[in-house]
Amino acid sequence: MEITDLLQGPMKDIIINQVGQQLGLGNSAQTNSAVDGVLATIMNAVAKNASTPEGAGGLMSALDRDHDGSILNDLGGFLSGAVQPENPKTANGAGILKHLMGENQETAAETISKSSGIDTAKILSMMATLAPVVLGFLGKAKQSIPQQQEQTGGGLIDLIQGATKTVNQQPSTQSIFSKLLDRDGDGSMIDDVAEMGIKSIFGKILGGK
């Protein structure tokens, strides 16, 4: 499974339709922009947490224990609330976000809200809904990693880095980058040109340096 499955095609259509319906969003373009921003934020948070041996080990344990990818077997059912995993931790989006981002999730939601035009409260709800989907994707993808590679964590980290890079290149995500960079709201990014690296941008949201 590739991250592009979440960014385009039938799976992306399911996400947009179900999330849009659940949150009462009629504008699919706005929903698409917000979904891209949420996926990028969560993937960058995962990548940041997995950048240390301790974090990578914790992520691998969580994927093995709570996120085997089965949540994707009936994605529409999960997003609509009609189907819930037997393990409550699998669908605990609020808990996932708290672990990954802590208090910074509010700042991330506000930024995505400004970029997409969707209310911050609805963005927070979208983040909690999609966090289990992202971890489910990683859990599913992890199963394709050779066992020897999996034991060292290297295969998973490579997968996360590659997926994060792909997500960060989405046009909607670039719009969010622009709003992050233009901190004084004057429409110019020149005041933050020294910080235009993606890691630096998301480091501000996710509590990095």
Side-chain angles (χ1 to χ4, degrees):
M1 175 174 288
E2 302 289 339
I3 189 66
T4 49
D5 293 329
L6 294 181
L7 301 178
Q8 58 192 13
M11 192 173 291
K12 178 68 172 293
D13 292 340
I14 291 173
I15 291 174
I16 289 185
N17 290 335
Q18 289 294 337
V19 169
Q21 184 175 342
Q22 292 298 312
L23 297 179
L25 303 173
N27 188 325
S28 61
Q30 283 184 309
T31 308
N32 184 76
S33 173
V35 166
D36 283 348
V38 168
L39 291 176
T41 300
I42 296 172
M43 280 303 306
N44 278 272
V46 171
K48 181 177 183 295
N49 277 264
S51 63
T52 65
E54 180 181 1
L59 176 61
M60 290 183 69
S61 295
L63 295 180
D64 290 335
R65 184 178 63 248
D66 302 320
H67 305 283
D68 61 0
S70 59
I71 197 172
L72 303 179
N73 293 341
D74 187 354
L75 182 58
F78 167 69
L79 293 175
S80 68
V83 175
Q84 289 296 315
E86 293 183 8
N87 181 354
K89 291 184 178 179
T90 301
N92 184 11
I96 295 170
L97 291 175
K98 182 177 181 180
H99 175 75
L100 290 176
M101 304 177 64
E103 297 178 356
N104 295 302
Q105 57 187 288
E106 182 86 24
T107 302
E110 290 174 357
T111 303
I112 298 170
S113 172
K114 291 177 182 178
S115 178
S116 65
I118 295 174
D119 182 74
T120 300
K122 291 185 176 182
I123 296 296
L124 282 168
S125 178
M126 188 183 297
M127 290 169 66
T129 298
L130 293 183
V133 175
V134 171
L135 290 195
F137 156 77
L138 292 175
K140 192 87 168 180
K142 180 177 177 291
Q143 296 171 15
S144 66
I145 299 173
Q147 185 174 9
Q148 183 178 3
Q149 214 175 355
E150 180 184 335
Q151 289 174 347
T152 64
L156 179 63
I157 300 305
D158 290 343
L159 186 152
I160 291 171
Q161 290 176 343
T164 304
K165 182 177 180 180
T166 300
V167 171
N168 288 344
Q169 292 172 342
Q170 294 298 298
S172 298
T173 308
Q174 295 297 324
S175 173
I176 293 172
F177 291 164
S178 297
K179 290 187 179 298
L180 280 169
L181 289 168
D182 182 22
R183 291 179 299 182
D184 56 10
D186 64 356
S188 172
M189 294 185 289
I190 193 65
D191 48 358
D192 290 298
V193 70
E195 297 177 327
M196 288 186 70
I198 287 175
K199 288 184 179 179
S200 174
I201 295 168
F202 270 93
K204 293 180 182 300
I205 285 184
L206 305 175
K209 295 180 179 180

